Amino acid sequence: MPTLFDSVKFGDIELRNRIVMAPLTRNRSPKAVPNDLNVVYYEQRATAGLIVSEGTAITHQGQGYADVPGLYKPEALAGWKKVTDAVHSRGGKIAAQLWHVGRISHVSLQPNGAAPVAPSAIPAKSKTYILNEDGTGAFAETSQPRALELSELPGIVDDFRKAARNAVDAGFDGVEIHAANGYLLDQFMKDGANHRTDAYGGSIENRIRLTLEVVDAVASEIGAGKTGIRLSPTTPANDISDSDPQAVFNAVVKELAKHDLSFIHVIEGATGGPRDHQYAGTSFDYAAFKAAYIEAGGKGAWMVNNGYDAETAAKAIETGHADLVSFGKPFIANPDLVRRIKDGAAWNDVNPQTLYGGGAEGYTDYPTLEAAE
């Protein structure tokens, strides 16, 4: 019977345990460039079997929040190389999360103050994090987006491909394509945000087309064994919804099974909320979702996320519900979370006042058991 602490290999990524640090936006990389404070933060958490980096914009257009890192500037790649070297120096593994936010952005964050882009010109009832004129951070309503032209979509696919290459060149062990939480690829897949009438809208086959093209491009560039993807079939995050998510996401994973991807990272239910969340008038069976992937020949690790604790994570692995379990906020407050789970030690609580923006406080100063000893 497998446990959380068994080593495992999926694709090209070999992990020393099955505990994963989930991507966590912290808004501490001014001008989209990782810095020395980011190096310390990730190095502190390198005992995770795998770290998935915070969402990292593939282009300036893909940027949706102030002071989040990117993968499109030479200085950002140099900054990330310091991070990956630090993680590897402690025996850890790290994947870059490739992020295009789509409509979840603000004109102040876009090139030349342009409108954010989306599958359709439907604004999200959501907020993003911007900088005030005095340099302080604040949450603001997302801006009205414009619909992407059909001619622009091959460029979006290529942006993901180039970002994947940049990530591997910067020392990442692999990448996670962000197709969850109401961001661009999720917007295309779900009919609440996609009202297109061309080859990327309407039918399920059309709506999942862009995501699959991105997967094809990234896997062809860096290898499927270094490629993962994050999905959130029923999250309402960022004002996203779908009228039949089971049909959409069963279709997605059946296609993903044709690739030997490293992992499928699934947010169960509402991101940061109830794991049993459903869209109005629909029902979603996560066991059937996984079964669709397995029956289609999928061999990548099945990673689950959302509200797991030490006990429920252990059970998920032991029962075969998942191959890997990712933790978000617990890793913020507990850089040594792996040891705390193994020893049955108490977990530090997160300070919600220091989650976004700022410096070392609430970022690199959470105490470890070793420091306490």
Side-chain angles (χ1 to χ4, degrees), residues 71 105 111 200 285 310:
L71 275 167
S105 189
Y200 291 83
D285 185 333

Side-chain angles (χ1 to χ4, degrees), residues 14-15 49 95 100 115-116 126 145 154 156 174 204 225 250 288 309 311 336 341:
E14 189 166 356
L15 311 180
H100 192 307
S126 187
I156 297 285
I204 290 173
N250 281 19
D309 59 22
E311 183 179 351
D336 58 346
I341 292 173

Side-chain angles (χ1 to χ4, degrees), residues 212 215 229 231 252-259 261 264 293:
L212 297 177
V215 171
I229 189 169
L231 304 170
V252 169
V253 291
K254 286 177 182 177
E255 291 298 316
L256 294 177
K258 297 175 183 178
H259 296 279
L261 296 182
I264 312 292
Y293 178 65

Side-chain angles (χ1 to χ4, degrees), residues 48-70:
L50 176 68
I51 293 172
V52 182
S53 81
E54 61 203 282
T56 304
I58 59 172
T59 58
H60 190 173
Q61 183 197 72
Q63 203 95 9
Y65 300 80
D67 292 348
V68 298

Side-chain angles (χ1 to χ4, degrees), residues 101-104 118-120 122-126 178-195 207 231-243 245 248-249 267 269-271 277-280 282:
V101 300
R103 67 181 183 169
I104 308 302
S120 303
I122 303 169
K125 296 173 184 174
S126 187
H178 199 347
N181 287 349
Y183 297 114
L184 184 66
L185 297 181
D186 203 25
Q187 292 161 26
F188 267 88
M189 289 191 286
K190 291 177 179 171
D191 58 17
N194 185 345
H195 293 184
R207 284 184 279 127
L231 304 170
S232 56
T234 65
T235 189
N238 290 312
D239 194 29
I240 200 72
S241 64
D242 191 79
S243 61
V248 172
F249 284 89
I267 302 170
T271 307
H277 179 271
Q278 306 279 356
Y279 293 136
T282 72

Side-chain angles (χ1 to χ4, degrees), residues 56-59 71-72 77 96 98-99 157-169 172 175 218 221-222:
T56 304
I58 59 172
T59 58
L71 275 167
Y72 55 92
L77 303 186
L98 308 184
W99 198 20
V157 174
D158 200 50
D159 289 336
F160 273 97
R161 179 193 64 78
K162 288 186 287 190
R165 169 51 56 196
N166 286 343
V168 171
D169 289 349
F172 283 98
V175 304
V218 170
E221 180 66 31
I222 65 169

Side-chain angles (χ1 to χ4, degrees), residues 65-213:
Y65 300 80
D67 292 348
V68 298
L71 275 167
Y72 55 92
K73 295 179 179 179
E75 55 268 40
L77 303 186
W80 275 125
K81 186 65 167 64
K82 292 180 181 179
V83 171
T84 59
D85 284 349
V87 170
H88 292 152
S89 74
R90 293 195 59 197
K93 298 292 175 68
I94 182 168
Q97 190 186 59
L98 308 184
W99 198 20
H100 192 307
V101 300
R103 67 181 183 169
I104 308 302
S105 189
H106 189 273
V107 292
S108 69
L109 301 168
Q110 289 290 303
N112 303 314
V117 299
S120 303
I122 303 169
K125 296 173 184 174
S126 187
K127 292 187 177 184
T128 187
Y129 186 82
I130 66 172
L131 293 180
N132 297 317
E133 289 185 7
D134 64 0
T136 60
F139 284 92
E141 300 288 338
T142 54
S143 300
Q144 170 69 40
R146 69 169 179 86
L148 282 158
E149 299 289 339
L150 192 62
S151 61
E152 294 178 275
L153 298 183
I156 297 285
V157 174
D158 200 50
D159 289 336
F160 273 97
R161 179 193 64 78
K162 288 186 287 190
R165 169 51 56 196
N166 286 343
V168 171
D169 289 349
F172 283 98
D173 298 287
V175 304
E176 175 179 280
I177 296 165
H178 199 347
N181 287 349
Y183 297 114
L184 184 66
L185 297 181
D186 203 25
Q187 292 161 26
F188 267 88
M189 289 191 286
K190 291 177 179 171
D191 58 17
N194 185 345
H195 293 184
R196 300 176 74 95
T197 57
D198 58 18
Y200 291 83
S203 68
I204 290 173
E205 179 185 12
N206 284 357
R207 284 184 279 127
I208 68 176
R209 187 185 308 277
L210 184 63
T211 297
L212 297 177
E213 288 178 349

